[in-house]
Amino acid sequence: MRAIATFDVSTGGGVGHGLATWFGAALSRPLRGRLEQEQQGTAFFSVSTRATERSPRQEYQPLATGWEAMRQELLHEPETAHVLYMREHLGKPLVHVRSSTIRVRRPNAEAQLLFGADCGSLADVGFCAGAVEFLVAALDTVNPAFAWLGADAPASEETNLDWVLGRRVRDSVREARTFLRGYSWTTVCPEELSVRLGGPGALAATGAFHRVVPLSAGGVVLQATETVAAYTDEAVHGVFEALHPVLPPGVPQFDPAHPELRYFPADASRFGG
């Protein structure tokens, strides 16, 4: 499962604040308790930032003592940042937190959090609820340009609609407060789009969402079903129907290179119910 967020110049507190809260929420929630394991030598972190593409990599190890320095660097909006959690040195990451400005173009930044396959079951209510709580904690003071959480996200900065509508990342990011970049099991609308949809109350009244959580800085978190496993085609249709007024126009085209993408195959600009 993967969580993705887009930060832009309208992000509450600035892009650096968005990055710092994203990484901080990851450490206090999905990675909670892992810093103690690092100190005991039973878990390992690979942690670094790079201020620009040409700058040397700055490492923060051990993370237990290096986090505050990393947080200060995140506030300065580095080109890239990574936190990888592993049970063995140089092993397969169980959780990967990252951010980059390269594809989305400065001053914008994209942040991701990848939950490894053994972090929890997509049918586990507790695991799914905890993942949504991470997203709420990471974005509550931010009002991001966009965010989503699900198991159908591509391993890139593109969203499902970027791929099937042939949209370039930098274009969908630039227009993120005019058109929602995409949608998944859990979707975050920025305040600008939430208002156009009638606000949290109107979105809850559609019946398309298991949970609707307003963010204190603006925007709303929309959890379609209780678990990721329950995100059926019928649920996808319901989410599309609720969000179609703010989705980008165009007829989705199946992308054989990404058969995992979930979307409702209709032109949002012509959808009438």
Side-chain angles (χ1 to χ4, degrees), residues 234-246:
E234 181 179 358
V236 173
H237 184 179
V239 170
F240 173 88
E241 186 168 355
L243 299 179
H244 82 270
V246 299

Side-chain angles (χ1 to χ4, degrees), residues 237-262:
H237 184 179
V239 170
F240 173 88
E241 186 168 355
L243 299 179
H244 82 270
V246 299
L247 296 178
V251 179
Q253 301 293 324
F254 175 73
D255 185 347
H258 296 281
E260 76 282 4
L261 298 178
R262 306 284 302 282

Side-chain angles (χ1 to χ4, degrees), residues 95-204:
V95 178
H96 185 189
V97 193
R98 63 176 292 268
S99 67
S100 175
T101 67
I102 297 171
R103 295 280 317 279
V104 299
R105 305 292 180 89
R106 286 185 183 270
N108 308 309
E110 186 90 344
Q112 298 191 21
L113 186 150
L114 174 64
F115 297 87
D118 59 349
C119 285
S121 167
L122 300 182
D124 185 304
V125 172
F127 170 67
C128 292
V132 174
E133 287 304 320
F134 155 76
L135 199 64
V136 172
L139 303 177
D140 189 53
T141 64
V142 173
N143 184 27
F146 169 74
W148 79 355
L149 171 64
D152 55 331
S156 68
E157 284 79 0
E158 285 87 358
T159 70
N160 60 339
L161 295 185
D162 288 341
W163 284 112
V164 301
L165 295 179
R167 305 181 77 209
R168 295 187 300 182
V169 170
R170 66 173 179 265
D171 292 335
S172 70
V173 169
R174 187 184 68 250
E175 300 174 347
R177 295 183 189 269
T178 302
F179 296 113
L180 192 64
R181 294 193 62 209
Y183 54 92
S184 187
W185 169 62
T186 297
T187 307
V188 180
C189 287
E191 183 177 26
E192 295 84 348
L193 301 186
S194 174
V195 168
R196 283 170 51 192
L197 293 168
L203 285 162

